[in-house]
């Protein structure tokens, strides 16, 4: 059996190709069933996200060709279109690749935690479809353990490396529990959506979304249970916000110093945090001069993100070492399974010889042979029977000049330690 990891990702393929090779939820079950019924595939998991599509499987023979053929036929694309962007790994390299993916070391954002949940979901889908068993199942279970170890023993996920996440991290430093604050999000683009997602994950359940286009804001509101207001309503609601995070395309500031002064009076000077991610700025720089106001610009966040990226790179080196050790250990365990049948056969062979000679000795004693003589004869015959095959093997490899095999046989028989 051969372990194989095969796929494309954001590093190797364009968005256009990734879209063509992606597995929608509707197609995923069908794809898994096709792999399950494939004569050369004994186990399979498909990981399909916006940044990658990968097939992990256990094959009856080496080589990625059968999976490449299946993948191109399933998505109705040509091998010529797929091959330049395709990568594949076998055995230890496949195990190592899966572990790196699950730990966020192969992600667009180094160390991001979402991919582990996506890998777990993919594994769960395969379990539901009955396509992951045996060695591949053991690999995924081992991978989840390794990912937990990496998160515990390194700081790979401990520092914000996106502007949206850095904004929420700042908020958490100033306000201990986001569950106790009201957050006003100005804008409804991709960055604000990410901020809303991070805020929700960190327990913030009082969100207000202010946007010029109400329909876009409503989409966010439905997903995160937020209140929606227009940009013109901000002055009337600003005093409710403990945290204001803004990212619009407005050419002029939306929040001015006077507006914030009024809000502070209504708040009785309770502190406010403003995080202005927009370029040009959404919040007048003079707002930062006010007492009880913390104002951070996108440049401030970028410096935080860059520092954190460097810290994650150090953690990534530690994570890579853990993954290398764990992937080697997994493949060594896998190889050890190959000896199971041989060990069982050898034990059965020795057991048959023992029973046969023991029966003869017991019969001889019953027929009047001296017991001591019978035991000596039993031990001699048992010894000769057991050493016969190894002796012939050593003679043969010596004749053939295969000294390396002779060393292996000596080690297997424990001769070197005996001579010591």
């Amino acid at each position: 059996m051969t372990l194989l990891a095969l796929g494309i990702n954001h590093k190797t393929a364009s968005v256009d190709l990734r879209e063509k090779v992606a597995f929608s939820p509707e197609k995923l079950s069908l794809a898994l069933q096709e792999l399950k019924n494939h004569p050369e595939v004994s186990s399979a998991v498909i990981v399909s996200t916006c940044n990658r599509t990968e097939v992990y499987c256990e094959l009856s023979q080496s080589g990625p060709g059968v999976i490449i053929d299946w993948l191109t036929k399933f998505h109705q694309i040509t091998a010529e279109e797929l091959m330049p962007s395709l990568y594949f790994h076998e055995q230890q390299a496949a195990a190592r690749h899966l572990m790196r993916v699950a730990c966020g070391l192969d992600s667009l954002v180094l160390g991001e935690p979402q991919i582990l949940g996506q890998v777990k979901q993919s594994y769960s889908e395969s379990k539901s479809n009955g396509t992951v068993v045996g060695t591949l199942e053991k690999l995924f279970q081992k991978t989840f353990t390794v990912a937990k170890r990496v998160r515990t023993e390194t700081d790979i996920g401990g520092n914000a490396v996106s502007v949206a996440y850095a904004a929420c991290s700042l908020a958490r430093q100033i306000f201990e529990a986001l569950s106790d604050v009201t957050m006003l999000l100005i804008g409804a683009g991709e960055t604000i959506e990410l901020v809303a997602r991070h805020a929700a994950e960190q327990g913030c359940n009082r969100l207000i979304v202010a946007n010029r286009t109400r329909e876009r804001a409503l989409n966010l509101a439905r997903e995160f249970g937020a209140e929606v207001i227009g940009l013109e309503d901000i002055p009337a609601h600003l005093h409710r916000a403990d945290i204001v995070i803004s990212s619009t395309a407005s050419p002029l500031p939306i929040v001015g110093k006077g507006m914030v002064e009024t809000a502070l009076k209504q708040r009785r000077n309770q502190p406010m945090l403003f995080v202005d991610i927009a370029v040009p700025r959404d919040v007048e720089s003079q707002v930062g001069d006010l007492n009880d106001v913390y104002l951070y610009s996108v440049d401030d966040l970028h410096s935080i993100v860059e520092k954190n990226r460097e810290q994650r790179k150090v953690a990534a080196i530690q994570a890579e070492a853990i993954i290398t050790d764990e992937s080697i250990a997994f493949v060594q365990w896998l190889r050890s399974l190959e000896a199971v049948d041989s060990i069982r056969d050898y034990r059965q062979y020795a057991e048959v010889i023992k029973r046969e000679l023991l029966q003869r000795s017991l019969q001889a004693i019953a027929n009047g042979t001296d017991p001591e003589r019978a035991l000596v004869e039993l031990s001699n015959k048992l010894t000769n029977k057991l050493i016969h095959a190894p002796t012939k093997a050593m003679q043969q490899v010596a004749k053939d000049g295969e000294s390396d095999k002779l060393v292996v046989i000596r080690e297997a028989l424990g001769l070197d330690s005996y001579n010591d």
Side-chain angles (χ1 to χ4, degrees), residues 405-419:
K405 290 185 179 180
L406 185 58
V407 169
V408 172
I409 296 172
R410 286 182 62 85
E411 288 179 353
L413 296 173
L415 297 181
D416 292 337
S417 59
Y418 167 76
N419 289 333

Side-chain angles (χ1 to χ4, degrees), residues 12 83 119 178 300:
T12 69
M83 289 303 292
V119 172
L178 295 191
D300 297 321

Side-chain angles (χ1 to χ4, degrees), residues 157 159-170 172 198 201-202 312:
N159 301 294
V161 290
S162 72
V163 168
Y165 193 75
C168 288
S169 297
L170 273 175
R172 209 170 63 242
H198 290 312
E201 288 172 356
Q202 294 176 30
R312 279 204 181 185

